[in-house]
Amino acid sequence: QVQLVESGGGLVQAGGSLRLSCVASGRTFSSVGMGWFRQAPGKEREFVATITASGGSTYYADSVKGRSTISRDNAKNTVYLQMNSLKPEDTAVYYCAARGSRSGSTDPSYYSYWGQGTQVTVSS
């Protein structure tokens, strides 16, 4: 069992930055791929970024590529999402998720564990 707790969301002006954090419980964190997803009101949950268990490989949605960086610190059981040059369309609840395998994935159905989400609001 893995429990995930996100933090770092908030209200920011367009062009600003936020760093989201997700702390995982359990001793298997370093063995699992992680992902960030987001869901805006009235929209489906969408992929944002993913990272492999070792942190050696990452992948981003086109909508955030070049503006966001996913990273992890396995010693701290934490995955991060650094978001820069934020836009109003980035407004959403952001969720971190853990897989049952070492690879990352863009498909939310491949993730077994989810956090409760953290709200990000970008004002224009």
Side-chain angles (χ1 to χ4, degrees):
Q1 190 77 7
V2 177
Q3 291 186 324
L4 305 171
V5 179
E6 303 99 332
S7 63
L11 174 63
V12 63
Q13 289 188 332
S17 298
L18 282 174
R19 187 176 82 155
L20 306 183
S21 299
C22 173
V23 179
S25 66
R27 295 178 292 177
T28 62
F29 178 78
S30 61
S31 301
V32 300
M34 298 292 295
W36 284 97
F37 294 80
R38 67 186 183 186
Q39 188 166 18
K43 296 187 177 182
E44 293 187 355
R45 189 169 298 189
E46 66 172 356
F47 165 75
V48 176
T50 187
I51 188 167
T52 55
S54 67
S57 182
T58 59
Y59 187 77
Y60 300 90
D62 287 343
S63 57
V64 303
K65 193 176 298 181
R67 301 188 296 120
S68 297
T69 302
I70 187 171
S71 61
R72 66 191 296 160
D73 184 339
N74 286 345
K76 295 182 178 180
N77 277 18
T78 303
V79 62
Y80 305 97
L81 182 68
Q82 176 69 44
M83 301 188 295
N84 302 320
S85 302
L86 283 162
K87 305 175 182 179
E89 51 263 44
D90 294 317
T91 295
V93 177
Y94 284 71
Y95 299 89
C96 74
R99 293 200 63 194
S101 68
R102 298 187 64 83
S103 62
S105 177
T106 64
D107 188 338
S109 69
Y110 285 12
Y111 289 81
S112 302
Y113 305 99
W114 292 83
Q116 82 289 348
T118 185
Q119 176 72 46
V120 171
T121 303
V122 184
S123 63
S124 57

